[in-house]
Amino acid sequence: MSPTGWLITAATVALGAGLPYWLPRAVIALRVRIFAWVGGEEGIRAPGREVPAEEFKKVYGHPAANGRSRGAALSDLFWYWLSPGPEVHQEHLEPGPRYDDVARTTRQILAGLSREQWTELVGRCTRRVLDELPDDTRVHRVRLRDLMMPVWAEVYYEVVFRAPCPRSVRDLITGNANDVVSALKCTSLRHMDRRARLTAHLRDRLAHDPPPVPLPSSLSEREQAFYLQGTFFNTAVVQMSEAMAHLLLALATHRPVQDRLAAGEADPDFLDGVINETLQHFPLFGVAHRITSGEIPRDGRKPIPAGSVLLFNYPEYQGSGGDPFDPDRWLDPDTRPSAFIPFGVTANRPCPARGFAVLTMRVAAEETLRRFRLESSAEHTRSLPSRGPCLLVPRTGATEWTPARRRTRLAAMRLADRWEGVGRSVVQLVLGSYMVWDARRQGLCRNHFAASSGGSAPSVAAGR
Ligand code: HEM
């Protein structure tokens, strides 16, 4: 071969070997630019030049930072992803009597269980779902988000209806939640038919056998079904499955941490430290936005005017991923990070599940660790579009791996994960750009408020 031929071959091999490392990141950067371009540049970044980190919580918690949907182009995109019924989703309702009614109902439903009942319920549902894995002595290749989703579908069905979740309904719930989160991560388009099947089931159920806690009286029967679907069978199921996928993947990729827990000799608060460290490194929210309803005055800076879109960036505020993964730092008040808001800020619509989400994660993690050793070499990013590839090695009955076998399996997994990431990033770019364009075209939020201020009925059929 000529020197030029060698050069071309060497360059091709180098490019081919390096491709999985750089392409997904380049596509993500391009996607962010396309999203900003299609969605329209808007917003004041916090932390950022106008709102430094020291003022982040003060501005987030200001009473005038209370607009949720109206007046932000971004809302069209969130409404599109959370359809059907985004106009009655608690996260996106404007402040007012309707919001109060909905938020009160959520609190009442969640307050129906004591800590002991939460522990029993989550333990039971986790065991049932893990029991469904075939042949207890085999190593299972799973995606952690998919593994966990049926657990939370069963848990939240029982929380709402106070009755065990039939298998067919569990499938409807996971079908709905999976469709929402896959569209949000741009790995798939929306499938409104899957979501509509759950709405139809809930409407039927509400007509014949409503839940014990009365649903918001300010909502129509159809909106009540949307409310349950949005808050419990979308947000609760998606957030808990994502949080658990992060936690279990963090354990799988930090074996010394996992081994300390499995040996049962760790400090009783160590698992809570691991959960906090996971939420510090991989906060579930990227950016939460608010629209200001009035001026926000500031010391020594120009006020933030009414009608501004504030973009609160969780990973940036928390400094996520900057430090090594160190759960022990949570055990000592002197080393605990102070910029930590996994469930939002108390003064401005924090997460209603903040009082027990960590408890329930702990129960599900303990059940899983009791039965399996977790092994993974997949890339762990905040958005985790891979759904967390992982090997579950049964703690009893499975043949012990030799170090060489372990190395080979993890190397094969790393390679497959990288190459899968390349193809997926291109899919995300194409589908994401389409959905941003489609959401803008449909203008679900924009049209809803235009219709309500014009006196005609708001478009409750949003997203169909
Ligand atoms: C570990 C799991 C979870 C995390 C990390 C989490 C995180 C958050 C955060 C950061 C917010 C505030 C966003 C903002 O300021 O705009 C929030 C709001 C919310 N979360 Fe969660 N969440 C979790 C689980 C849940 C569960 C299980 C439910 C349902 C039962 C839930 C329902 C909601 C609702 C309805 C809101 C909107 C609150 C409002 O605007 O009044 N979340 N969540």
Side-chain angles (χ1 to χ4, degrees), residues 80 83-84 179 190-197 462-464:
Y80 179 86
S83 290
D179 198 63
R190 304 184 311 171
H191 299 86
M192 294 311 291
D193 52 332
R194 288 183 202 159
R195 305 182 189 193
R197 280 200 281 276
R464 293 282 172 84

Side-chain angles (χ1 to χ4, degrees), residues 19-35:
L19 193 62
Y21 296 95
W22 63 263
L23 189 62
R25 284 187 185 87
V27 171
I28 288 168
L30 184 60
R31 206 168 90 219
V32 170
R33 277 169 172 256
I34 292 181
F35 278 23

